[in-house]
Amino acid sequence: MILKELELAQYRNFERVQVHFDAPIVLFVGPNAQGKTNMLESIYVLAMAKSHRTSKDKELIKWEEPFARLSCRADRRTGPVHLDIQLTSKGKKAKINQLEQRRLSDYIGAINAVMFAPEDLSIVKGSPVIRRRFLDMEIGQVSKSYLYHILQYQKLIQQRNLAMKELQMGKPFGDMLDIYNAQMAHLAAKVLNKRFGFMDKLERWGQEIHAQITQGRETLTLSYESTLPVTPDMSESEAEEAAYRHLTSIKDREIARGTSLAGPHRDDIHFFINGTSVHQYGSQGQQRTTALSLKLAEIELIHQEVGEYPLLLLDDVLSELDADRQSHLLHNIKDRVQTFVTTTGVEGLYHQTLQQAAIYRVKQGTITRDI
Ligand SMILES: Nc1ncnc2c1ncn2[C@@H]1O[C@H](COP(=O)(O)OP(=O)(O)OP(=O)(O)O)[C@@H](O)[C@H]1O
Ligand SMILES: [Mg+2]
């Protein structure tokens, strides 16, 4: 897919900008704190209906202003699409081709985007919360049913945790907990089914790409660590049954702790290079290569699932990669993936692909194209 036009009003430090794109590689160039990341973020928000940096939509609205508006026009294989997002302190509205989407899950996926930013290293290094968020965002982008089920699941966990607190304090609850457990097992089985499938594909693509980048020296493997006794070979109904049985068996422990101890909201994923944990033992470079392999794998995965390549958003990462990895990355995306890159200067970027890039200068919330 190709992004043709982007329009922002009162978004972050942009009062009002309208930008046209016609190149496969777009460089946003400018000194620090001018709005380069904000530009990329706005494209991400149009794809995912939320930011990659913050869960507080209010931060996206220009200070002192009551609302922000983002819109774009993109060409997809199926035709042009026009997207609109309006943010106020009360909430957001999202439109596809002028039609308001009642549920955000109906909106997400209208265009696809993969962001690769310095903080993505935390997918490898950071806490399990970040990895679960990675799973949810990326699977949600290609599966509306996953988005729907994970949202239901998260709501249920909140209610169930409240119930656990009440039980902990000795309040009578009848067979309410059984009902929660049945609902939870049902949703957990659906969520896990999709996560296992995603992990499998991510590993297949990631392994191939990682081997290419490291010239066959490193083998990347992934594993999913489930807190429920559910495995990828189980059918959905077997998974549901196993989850339900387990929840019943840990009931007393959960009540004593006053919270939900097992389920997809507690799971984690792990990355290994040649069988050794990247999180624990990986060098900086290996961690970075792992994160890069995962992102490139995602691009292929989205291509496979939706039938066309997503937009690629590279925030400050190109200059961080050494010559080999830079050229591998650019070789990989060349002519296939429309890519938006931020950088403070064009000096460190020597690859010929970048010499064909369209350069946009970002300065204090304004944007001008080099001719
Ligand atoms: N809601 C907002 N309203 C107004 N200005 C904002 C808002 N949010 C962020 N900013 C400002 O936007 C400026 C530009 O931020 P951005 O992260 O896009 O910079 P950048 O060009 O990517 O810089 P760097 O090269 O350091 O990464 C920041 O100085 C920040 O103060
Ligand atoms: Mg930045």
Side-chain angles (χ1 to χ4, degrees):
M1 51 196 82
I2 311 257
L3 186 69
K4 302 285 255 195
E5 199 178 315
L6 176 69
E7 207 178 329
L8 305 174
Q10 293 163 194
Y11 179 83
R12 292 278 196 190
N13 66 329
F14 296 104
E15 175 57 38
R16 196 169 195 98
V17 292
Q18 192 176 16
V19 206
H20 294 269
F21 302 110
D22 50 21
I25 310 256
V26 172
L27 286 183
F28 293 123
V29 186
N32 295 131
Q34 303 302 307
K36 301 182 300 296
T37 300
N38 294 346
M39 261 329 251
L40 287 196
E41 181 192 41
S42 73
I43 300 173
Y44 188 88
V45 173
L46 279 160
M48 304 294 279
K50 66 164 124 177
S51 166
H52 67 294
R53 297 200 274 190
T54 175
S55 54
K56 299 189 191 96
D57 290 339
K58 228 184 119 205
E59 288 176 17
L60 307 178
I61 303 171
K62 192 165 193 284
W63 298 324
E64 319 280 330
E65 299 293 348
F67 67 89
R69 214 183 124 184
L70 304 83
S71 50
C72 74
R73 199 162 51 78
D75 279 348
R76 296 201 52 156
R77 217 174 33 130
T78 45
V81 55
H82 189 278
L83 304 179
D84 249 302
I85 291 189
Q86 188 151 344
L87 305 163
T88 67
S89 56
K90 289 199 188 71
K92 59 191 151 198
K93 279 188 194 153
K95 291 183 193 167
I96 303 177
N97 295 332
Q98 318 296 350
L99 281 180
E100 188 174 336
Q101 305 296 305
R102 220 164 31 86
R103 295 194 303 212
L104 285 179
S105 56
D106 291 333
Y107 174 86
I108 296 166
I111 57 168
N112 299 105
V114 169
M115 168 80 82
F116 188 33
E119 55 264 39
D120 282 318
L121 216 55
S122 58
I123 295 173
V124 181
K125 287 207 303 191
S127 67
V129 182
I130 294 166
R131 285 183 287 279
R132 286 193 292 266
R133 191 181 130 96
F134 164 74
L135 286 177
D136 293 343
M137 298 291 274
E138 303 315 334
I139 306 172
Q141 177 156 198
V142 290
S143 167
K144 287 196 191 306
S145 65
Y146 182 83
L147 259 189
Y148 178 76
H149 290 129
I150 192 73
L151 288 173
Q152 298 279 308
Y153 179 82
Q154 281 159 353
K155 264 191 228 152
L156 182 67
I157 289 295
Q158 277 181 4
Q159 293 168 356
R160 191 173 183 273
N161 282 346
L162 288 177
M164 285 296 172
K165 287 256 153 25
E166 303 215 326
L167 284 164
Q168 192 187 32
M169 291 187 299
K171 293 208 176 140
F173 223 74
D175 35 7
M176 230 2 230
L177 190 57
D178 271 349
I179 297 170
Y180 275 137
N181 286 356
Q183 288 175 344
M184 191 173 154
H186 179 72
L187 289 170
K190 292 195 177 301
V191 166
L192 287 173
N193 182 14
K194 280 272 160 51
R195 283 192 185 174
F196 289 152
F198 175 80
M199 287 293 286
D200 197 47
K201 289 178 200 145
L202 191 69
E203 180 176 66
R204 237 180 299 148
W205 287 112
Q207 206 162 69
E208 190 182 318
I209 292 163
H210 196 95
Q212 280 170 23
I213 302 177
T214 61
Q215 281 145 5
R217 284 190 304 268
E218 295 181 359
T219 305
L220 178 70
T221 45
L222 273 53
S223 78
Y224 187 92
E225 193 181 288
S226 179
T227 49
L228 289 170
V230 174
T231 49
D233 56 308
M234 289 179 178
S235 70
E236 211 171 282
S237 60
E238 284 167 345
E240 184 172 336
E241 224 181 284
Y244 181 78
R245 246 184 288 121
H246 186 75
L247 292 173
T248 309
S249 76
I250 60 169
K251 185 171 153 187
D252 293 341
R253 230 175 344 127
E254 289 196 306
I255 294 172
R257 294 276 299 275
T259 191
S260 301
L261 293 174
H265 67 292
R266 287 278 178 123
D267 293 352
D268 200 358
I269 56 178
H270 295 297
F271 311 107
F272 302 89
I273 288 177
N274 300 338
T276 305
S277 160
V278 189
H279 175 87
Q280 272 179 303
Y281 299 109
S283 71
Q284 285 280 355
Q286 285 177 319
Q287 291 176 347
R288 206 173 285 154
T289 311
T290 302
L292 177 63
S293 302
L294 292 174
K295 289 290 161 168
L296 293 178
E298 244 183 271
I299 293 175
E300 298 299 336
L301 207 146
I302 289 175
H303 178 244
Q304 190 181 28
E305 301 284 314
V306 307
E308 60 187 316
Y309 281 104
L311 309 173
L312 177 62
L313 312 171
L314 300 176
D315 192 16
D316 269 345
V317 285
L318 227 40
S319 49
E320 298 242 326
L321 297 175
D322 63 25
D324 269 2
R325 279 181 290 194
Q326 215 184 91
S327 94
H328 182 86
L329 172 64
L330 291 164
H331 177 75
N332 231 285
I333 58 179
K334 200 169 169 260
D335 306 328
R336 298 191 297 171
V337 186
Q338 192 188 21
T339 304
F340 298 82
V341 182
T342 68
T343 180
T344 46
V346 285
E347 303 76 41
L349 315 171
Y350 47 83
H351 196 275
Q352 63 178 49
T353 309
L354 295 173
Q355 275 146 26
Q356 299 154 11
I359 295 178
Y360 292 76
R361 307 270 168 191
V362 184
K363 202 176 163 198
Q364 289 181 1
T366 63
I367 185 154
T368 42
R369 181 172 180 173
D370 273 14
I371 359 168

